[in-house]
Amino acid sequence: MSAVSAEEETPEMKVAPEEEVPAAVADQVVEAGEEAEVAADAPQDGAAKKKKKRKKKKKNANAAANGEAAATEEVEDGNAVEEGNDGEKEENDDGEAAGGATAAAGGEGKKKKKRNRKKTKVQTNPPTIAVNKLFAAGKFPHGQEVEYNNPKDDRTGKDRISSEEKKNLDTSYEDMWQDFRQASEAHRQTRQFMQEYIKPGLTMIEIVEKLEETSRMMIAENKLEAGLAFPTGCSLNNCAAHYTPNAGDKTVLTYDDVCKIDFGTHVNGRIVDCAFTVAFNPKYDVLLEAVKDATNSGIKHAGIDVPLNEIGEIVQETMESYEIELDGKTYPIRPIRNLSGHSIGQYRIHAGKTVPIVKGGDKTRMEEGEVFAIETFGSTGKGYVDEEGETSHYMKNFHLGNSRVNLRMPKAKKLLHVINQNFGTLAFCRRWLDRLDQSKYLMALKNLCDTGVVDPYPPLCDIKGCYTAQYEHTIILRPTCKEIVSRGADY
């Protein structure tokens, strides 16, 4: 097909040069041409505007996506942002990162930012955000919930779980259960951090002060409403319990030490008592395994209407099934017979009932609604402890309550006032008095002990050269089930 030559023009293109066009007609032709040109250009301008609008929308969507991705990366990096002013700060930072494009995205961009702010409720590392801010609705994670399995109980575990009466009764105590769960969550997050923090070469004071600092943040300490339930125990080797360093103690943790970390938290006096053992040398693994197994066996058997002496028999049988070889010599692992678990009351760490870890003893039964600390101690020594060393733990006599005490020493009266205001009937230590800017109080403290207002709790030690271990959990005998409230992924 040949191209069209210049001479072969279409009729519309031909104009007779010799003919003169009137001015009016020319004007009409020009106007018609302009209108035709505008009409021809109009669809092109509309298409260009549509194309430009599509590009703008695509640019805004990408900017919003980039803003969301940036916020998500911040969350994944573990940077927690609190609500209120901190939340406003995060929104401004996101806007700057998006270069102002997010604002042009309209409602969609704002909704995405709102979702990002919810994602920021994550714990930092090291932990610094109180658990009541991480679970702002006041609903804290449940512990391990287990059906009751007591053949002597005429109501089986399934009956209790399905019973409407027991469900309603359980619900009526929900506020109390939440206090225990909040304290447990604070304990879990603290010990998770400390299990990574504790290393050979640290002094015992460094360890306990870091633990207590973290625990206070997690529980959002507020005098007697929430805080630490008792001083951090960090007993070493043959010392089984009630050791925490006083000021000036230069003891250093070594690779060959076996350290029991025992600390508690509380909310409104609802105490969680939980302990674990740290050992760096693997030669102690069997000792730790034996005690952990014995504790879990005691927890498994515990329940409503279970006699306390039966738990002791099971714990002893489990622990004594182990033996350990240390430096070429084999040792039996014995339960420490004069240490035991105990019931827990509000603002009362030892509420009256004891849970033995050897056979025999009290045949009193566990009851519905009670809270117990199931703890076991194993030893490569004689399995019996005596008081030894400088006292660090103290606790006001619970039975005195708020009764008036006749004290002659003015400093003793002043110290008792400090104890009542800050600890009540919860245990405390000399380091905590130092922290409250108390000085030259030892004579006053001795006077309170001599008059029976305050009870001292010296370290409890087996024979020198042996090793002891401890594991402990707090359980709640709820109407519907047994809740090991302090259970975690670690133990």
Side-chain angles (χ1 to χ4, degrees):
M1 185 176 179
S2 59
V4 180
S5 63
E7 292 79 13
E8 298 176 350
E9 293 177 331
T10 60
E12 293 82 357
M13 297 171 59
K14 292 180 180 180
V15 179
E18 66 277 3
E19 294 182 4
E20 185 177 351
V21 181
V25 175
D27 292 338
Q28 292 177 359
V29 171
V30 171
E31 290 176 2
E34 290 176 354
E35 290 175 2
E37 185 178 357
V38 170
D41 292 339
Q44 294 179 2
D45 291 343
K49 288 180 180 179
K50 288 181 181 180
K51 186 174 181 182
K52 187 175 182 180
K53 187 179 283 187
R54 284 197 299 270
K55 287 182 178 180
K56 189 174 182 179
K57 285 184 177 180
K58 186 174 180 182
K59 181 180 179 181
N60 291 339
N62 290 337
N66 292 336
E68 183 178 4
T72 305
E73 289 176 6
E74 288 182 2
V75 172
E76 291 175 352
D77 289 340
N79 297 325
V81 181
E82 296 181 24
E83 293 179 328
N85 294 333
D86 290 342
E88 293 175 3
K89 180 180 178 181
E90 182 196 23
E91 185 175 348
N92 293 337
D93 291 343
D94 287 345
E96 291 173 5
T102 305
E108 291 183 4
K110 291 182 179 179
K111 289 181 180 178
K112 289 180 180 178
K113 280 188 178 182
K114 197 169 185 179
R115 289 197 298 270
N116 290 341
R117 286 198 293 272
K118 290 182 180 179
K119 291 179 182 178
T120 56
K121 292 186 178 181
V122 294
Q123 189 56 273
T124 58
N125 187 19
T128 57
I129 304 175
V131 296
N132 62 1
K133 292 183 179 180
L134 295 176
F135 301 90
K139 301 295 182 183
F140 299 93
H142 290 219
Q144 181 186 11
E145 296 175 334
V146 183
E147 288 183 5
Y148 291 113
N149 183 25
N150 182 11
K152 296 181 181 180
D153 188 357
D154 57 348
R155 292 162 298 189
T156 65
K158 289 183 179 179
D159 289 338
R160 283 184 169 275
I161 285 180
S162 61
S163 169
E164 289 300 324
E165 178 186 356
K166 295 300 178 184
K167 285 181 181 179
N168 292 334
L169 183 59
D170 192 41
T171 303
S172 69
Y173 293 122
E174 185 62 23
D175 289 343
M176 186 194 305
W177 306 154
Q178 288 298 330
D179 286 344
F180 281 110
R181 290 167 188 151
Q182 181 181 348
S184 295
E185 184 61 25
H187 197 287
R188 274 190 292 270
Q189 296 202 19
T190 300
R191 73 184 191 233
Q192 180 181 359
F193 167 69
M194 291 306 299
Q195 285 164 356
E196 297 178 357
Y197 175 84
I198 298 173
K199 295 288 189 295
L202 293 173
T203 65
M204 304 314 295
I205 284 186
E206 288 175 331
I207 292 171
V208 297
E209 287 187 345
K210 174 59 73 173
L211 187 150
E212 290 167 0
E213 176 191 4
T214 305
S215 187
R216 286 187 174 101
M217 287 190 290
M218 295 302 96
I219 201 65
E221 185 181 42
N222 183 20
K223 287 192 175 291
L224 292 177
E225 291 183 9
L228 309 186
F230 52 85
T232 303
C234 55
S235 306
L236 294 173
N237 304 324
N238 68 308
C239 184
H242 296 172
Y243 163 75
T244 195
N246 290 321
D249 191 326
K250 298 180 180 180
T251 305
V252 176
L253 183 67
T254 70
Y255 177 77
D256 285 321
D257 284 332
V258 178
C259 180
K260 280 71 63 183
I261 301 294
D262 187 358
F263 71 101
T265 52
H266 81 92
V267 175
N268 296 319
R270 309 299 179 182
I271 299 171
V272 167
D273 186 0
C274 190
F276 61 97
T277 300
V278 175
F280 306 101
N281 194 326
K283 71 180 182 178
Y284 303 117
D285 287 351
V286 176
L287 174 62
L288 273 60
E289 181 185 351
V291 179
K292 186 188 297 185
D293 190 10
T295 299
N296 287 329
S297 296
I299 292 170
K300 183 177 180 180
H301 191 73
I304 296 171
D305 288 338
V306 174
L308 296 172
N309 63 318
E310 289 186 5
I311 298 176
E313 185 175 354
I314 288 174
V315 167
Q316 182 176 8
E317 181 181 345
T318 303
M319 195 178 298
E320 290 182 348
S321 66
Y322 290 83
E323 58 183 21
I324 184 171
E325 183 177 339
L326 296 174
D327 303 324
K329 186 176 179 179
T330 302
Y331 298 88
I333 298 177
R334 298 186 175 98
I336 300 177
R337 60 184 180 274
N338 59 335
L339 293 177
S340 62
H342 48 89
S343 58
I344 298 175
Q346 189 174 17
Y347 293 104
R348 190 180 183 187
I349 188 63
H350 295 162
K353 291 184 178 180
T354 60
V355 185
I357 60 176
V358 292
K359 61 183 177 181
D362 195 355
K363 295 183 180 180
T364 304
R365 296 176 181 270
M366 293 179 159
E367 299 177 42
E368 181 181 293
E370 289 185 320
V371 180
F372 285 90
I374 305 296
E375 62 180 323
T376 69
F377 296 83
S379 174
T380 61
K382 63 180 182 179
Y384 189 89
V385 292
D386 296 296
E387 295 179 356
E388 181 182 311
E390 185 179 44
T391 302
S392 55
H393 285 56
Y394 300 86
M395 186 165 62
K396 182 183 174 183
N397 189 327
F398 184 83
H399 298 290
L400 291 177
N402 294 322
S403 60
R404 192 169 182 177
V405 181
N406 187 18
L407 296 171
R408 295 183 178 181
M409 183 183 290
K411 286 188 176 181
K413 291 180 181 180
K414 181 180 177 182
L415 182 60
L416 180 58
H417 178 73
V418 172
I419 292 169
N420 287 334
Q421 291 295 311
N422 293 277
F423 313 122
T425 54
L426 297 173
F428 61 95
C429 65
R430 285 159 54 175
R431 281 186 299 103
W432 292 3
L433 292 175
D434 299 336
R435 185 172 177 267
L436 295 171
D437 296 326
Q438 297 299 303
S439 61
K440 300 180 180 179
Y441 56 78
L442 289 180
M443 287 299 296
L445 184 58
K446 183 179 184 302
N447 182 259
L448 292 176
C449 293
D450 292 341
T451 55
V453 177
V454 171
D455 295 320
Y457 293 87
L460 301 173
C461 304
D462 202 337
I463 57 174
K464 290 185 178 180
C466 74
Y467 296 94
T468 59
Q470 173 195 16
Y471 278 93
E472 178 181 19
H473 274 301
T474 297
I475 67 171
I476 306 173
L477 302 184
R478 288 168 46 193
T480 54
C481 65
K482 172 174 55 182
E483 182 173 352
I484 302 102
V485 69
S486 58
R487 180 77 80 188
D490 48 354
Y491 66 93

